[in-house]
Amino acid sequence: MSLQTIQFTQEQARDLAGVSPGEVRAWRKAVSYLAAKPGKAARFTFVDILGLAITRRITGDFHVRISDIGDSMDALFRALSETRPSDLEGSIALIDAQTARLVAGSDLAAKPLKDPTFVVPCDQLIHDLSQRVMPLAPASVQAALPFAPQMVKKGR
């Protein structure tokens, strides 16, 4: 018996990653991994949504055009798709102009960086996405009763 992966619709993926339909439309033109998921029937995994969130951070926070890093983001999506979500804890995405790779946070110092590289820690993004996918229920606000419960019978 195999474990089924949860798949999200395009609208759910956009909402979770915080991206607009226009952004995803533009990204599809530059990232072939996303181009392979067209239309309303497109389904996204948790790691796909993480890839969208990383792309949003780079294009939004650093104002990088997706056309300039499309091949790198494609490499990132493919690396993410080959990785189990549980193995991403403590991972860091390294994205340069030509490629992308995932490394463990503890191995970052051992990886030589030759070109300008975006370094995106995955932990906070994974935590934020996890909270949006499966929010924890708030603790009960009912106070403990100061007396023991008693059984009441009908007619007495």
Side-chain angles (χ1 to χ4, degrees), residues 8-9 13 18 22 30 38 44 53 111 134 155:
F8 299 90
T9 65
F44 294 84
K111 302 291 180 190
M134 294 176 41

Side-chain angles (χ1 to χ4, degrees), residues 7 15 17 29 34 41 54 72 74 76-77 85 104-105 111 114 124 149 153 155:
Q7 303 240 322
D15 182 51
K29 294 176 184 174
L34 293 176
I54 291 171
S72 302
D74 187 59
L76 176 68
F77 276 99
K111 302 291 180 190
K114 298 174 187 157
Q124 188 61 46
K153 290 186 179 182

